[in-house]
Amino acid sequence: MSEAPHSNDKATMDDLLKENRLFEPSAEFKKNAVVNDEGIYASASANPQAYWVEHAKSLEWFKEWDQVLDWKPPFAKWFVGGKLNASYNCLDRHVKAGLGEKLAILWEGEPGDEQRLTYNDVYLAVNKFANGLKKLGVSKGDRVAIYMPMVPEAAYAMLACARIGAIHTVVFGGFSVDSLKGRILDADAKVLITADGGWRRGKIVPLKQTSDEAVDGCPCIEHMVVVRRTENEVSMQDGRDVWYHDLVADVADFCEPEPMDAEDVLFILYTSGTTGKPKGIIHTTGGYMTGAAATTKMVFDLKDDDVFWCTADVGWITGHSYIVYGPMANAATQVMYEGSPDYPERNRFWKIVEKYKVSKFYTAPTAIRAFMKWGTQWLEGSDLSSLKLLGSVGEPINPEAWMWYHEQIGKGRCPIVDTWWQTETGSIMISPLPALVATKPGSATRAMPGIDVRILTDEGKEIDKGGGYLAIKSPWPSMLRGIWGDEQRYRDTYWGRWPDTYFPGDGVKRDDDGYLWLLGRVDDVMLVAGHNISTMEVESALVDHQSVAESAVVGITDELKGQAIAAFVILKEGQNGDDAMTAALKQHVAEKIGAIARPKNIIFTAELPKTRSGKIMRRLLRDIAEGRALGDVTTLADPAVVQSLKDKYGDS
Ligand code: PRX
């Protein structure tokens, strides 16, 4: 969108795709909901600070704050002077309240092994781990890197750091040697916590080996703690490496939780996005915990007897906020699964839902589209009747994928919460409150109470309807506090576009009913014959065709129109990518959106290049579609995919 000139009075992005289906929550859902008073929106916007204070008070503070907010743009401090501890709020508080025997984590390994862990179990493990870290010389403010499979010890490690005031930085277990090394060096981490390996699609991911190679170039690392998971042969370096089970064998059962200032750093999490050097996003304790805890309860309508399952990895912000801190601050019972959704078969998730009677299920559109592609036969034989609510996060969800989720997984009964947020926002910002907002397939609906969302044009003029840039006008407690070691980049990236306004980098439109539709990253907008067309809308139109499983759309240079549309398309199994299909898809898009959006090229492919968190790398697709040389592919989930696309189409 940045390359497009705009006049002040015109919506910045053309609003092309219309969706009018509306789904009301049932009367019964409304009656029993955690939040069922519509007045919450008005009261939160009338007095946001009072609203957030109310939520902060649902945590336990060692000392209350003296001031709710200190806002010197772009720097916010929330609950100034308050003292608390995140691990205490996730564990001690519940044990003291008599919930020690409540199940905290229903863990399932990919090979089928399981552990049912109570709050007492997790409490003990975290206390011991915290004492173990202290023994290694870790103290308040030190950075600890965590590179782990999805095992309970990953959560213990995070909470153990939080307990002693060490700053954790979790690195997704699928990242390479270089990515791990870069993050450890940037954070200047003293200890790395890893495992011998983890299970993924029946194979061992050699985490210790990768750690060894990464740490070779990291003089800052003094110790490595290794959790035994896969029992594969690993080399342990004398004096540096220690097994987790040895570390905690002879330590005390209790570790005093460090009283942390509300603004003390809780963690750093690196976000790579699709371009540029990873940014170490900083989150602090009081505001982050307030946001994570409040949104978990409200958005997922969390009740005492729920079984919550967020399928994200702890290496992403979703795993931080909606596996570790949010659910555990609410004493939730949750499922944690180590492996892949298609191992040993494509029904693994549904077997897990049935087995643990999952009631609230939170996953990503990329997973939903994979399930659609695999077909509904994989749902047969699994009882999904325990489900009460479904969530989506990470990308815009196409209306067709939304409808499939609603009908096939939710069986038409379950409200869907499409939640928009970012690593930087810390917690959910735009989402329906499930008892209050009727949903439309593909729309994230409206801002959460207390969140000041606006739509701006290039010049910063606010518009009520139509498309433009998403902007957030006022600070919120769980907002990022900076980029580790790079204040200027923090100012430039997020606050440089308009005065004192947060710029998330996404496009959004508001329809006639006031509903918000996320349109993807603004650099994913095409300018075709003077119209700004969102890649998202064309992709949705393509996925709407019965033969299409997934698509990614990019703008390519076109002499006539400025940009033309190239569409990469993955067909459903059994479909043929021939000329007739190409013509049918072009026609379908023209019918759904208008002739303006008719793709010039349709490129059939078996896979799409994605970042490790599942986001499509459009920059690469653009290079391929325009036949340019490929750029940096080190963050690709599967570089071979791009190479094969390029071999096939790079010169066309
Ligand atoms: O473009 C938006 C997209 O994901 C970006 C944030 O990515 P990340 O920091 O990795 O966090 C992902 C998990 C919160 C956003 O700028 N995004 C996330 N959720 C949605 C979304 N786009 C549309 N709809 C969503 N529900």
Side-chain angles (χ1 to χ4, degrees), residues 269-309:
L269 183 60
Y270 287 84
T271 172
S272 49
T274 43
T275 47
K277 176 179 178 270
K279 306 183 280 271
I281 302 301
I282 299 172
H283 282 290
T284 57
T285 311
Y288 172 80
M289 287 301 292
T290 300
T295 50
T296 304
K297 190 159 176 116
M298 295 195 292
V299 173
F300 301 105
D301 190 44
L302 197 70
K303 314 268 177 50
D304 287 346
D305 59 353
D306 268 323
V307 178
F308 182 72
W309 184 19

Side-chain angles (χ1 to χ4, degrees), residues 317-318 393-396 418-424 506 518 521 615:
I317 190 67
T318 308
V393 60
E395 288 171 84
D418 174 7
T419 61
W420 178 89
W421 58 296
Q422 307 179 295
T423 305
E424 293 87 340
D506 281 23
L518 276 306
R521 305 292 300 169
K615 290 190 205 310

Side-chain angles (χ1 to χ4, degrees), residues 63-96:
K63 174 182 174 291
E64 208 175 285
W65 50 89
D66 311 310
Q67 187 188 352
V68 178
L69 172 65
D70 171 6
W71 177 223
K72 296 194 180 68
F75 300 102
K77 292 183 183 158
W78 282 87
F79 311 117
V80 184
K83 301 259 184 218
L84 78 169
N85 181 283
S87 147
Y88 180 95
N89 271 283
C90 291
L91 300 169
D92 308 42
R93 196 159 56 109
H94 308 322
V95 170
K96 286 185 180 168

Side-chain angles (χ1 to χ4, degrees), residues 576-599:
N576 217 343
D578 52 17
D579 288 352
M581 182 67 79
T582 302
L585 295 185
K586 288 184 180 178
Q587 186 55 26
H588 189 73
V589 175
E591 277 166 19
K592 286 294 290 187
I593 303 184
I596 179 78
R598 182 195 294 270

Side-chain angles (χ1 to χ4, degrees), residues 3 525-529 555-558 561-565 622:
E3 60 263 81
V525 167
M526 305 170 291
L527 189 67
V528 181
I556 52 173
T557 312
D558 184 270
K561 297 179 174 168
Q563 280 195 309
I565 297 172
R622 229 166 1 240

